[in-house]
Amino acid sequence: MLLVLSNVFMTLAWYGHLKLQQNGVAQHWPLLGVIAFSWGIAFFEYCCQVPANRLGFDGNGGPFNLVQLKVIQECISLAVFAIIANILFQGQQLHWNHILAFLLIVCAVYLVFMK
């Protein structure tokens, strides 16, 4: 759950300013202002991501090694991005190649967990 929440914040930090720009809210913000805005959101991403990694890492008693954590995070990141992009940027559509790429990442998760 922490990984999902951290990816919501990350996606908003990386792409939310583009929606604000489209709406005219951040259209005239200087680049440093956009960066500061995104960093403010990214702070909350780190507040979720760091504990998720610490709790999930097998070196701390969790069930996952580093590679598994990273692949899981990437898979969650794409799923969250796809949902948020469809909500915020309704003109952006997923095509067959996007779905295939996502399925290949799911295959990567499977491969990472193989013994």
Side-chain angles (χ1 to χ4, degrees):
M1 204 60 205
L2 285 171
L3 285 176
V4 171
L5 192 56
S6 75
N7 278 283
V8 168
F9 285 121
M10 178 194 71
T11 301
L12 292 175
W14 285 10
Y15 304 106
H17 64 90
L18 298 174
K19 185 62 176 179
L20 292 177
Q21 184 180 18
Q22 277 185 344
N23 291 341
V25 174
Q27 190 170 8
H28 301 291
W29 288 7
L31 184 56
L32 286 177
V34 173
I35 292 169
F37 174 79
S38 293
W39 276 359
I41 297 171
F43 169 78
F44 296 103
E45 181 225 337
Y46 279 88
C47 287
C48 298
Q49 183 74 29
V50 171
N53 285 330
R54 287 183 69 95
L55 293 169
F57 180 53
D58 60 7
N60 291 332
F64 308 116
N65 65 38
L66 285 177
V67 175
Q68 291 169 332
L69 277 172
K70 182 59 181 170
V71 173
I72 291 168
Q73 188 277 328
E74 291 299 331
C75 191
I76 291 171
S77 179
L78 283 175
V80 168
F81 172 79
I83 292 167
I84 290 178
N86 281 321
I87 292 170
L88 292 181
F89 301 96
Q90 293 177 351
Q92 300 290 316
Q93 296 179 356
L94 292 176
H95 299 286
W96 72 267
N97 56 326
H98 302 138
I99 295 167
L100 178 60
F102 183 71
L103 289 173
L104 290 173
I105 290 175
V106 171
C107 289
V109 172
Y110 172 77
L111 291 172
V112 163
F113 281 93
M114 284 179 59
K115 298 289 178 195

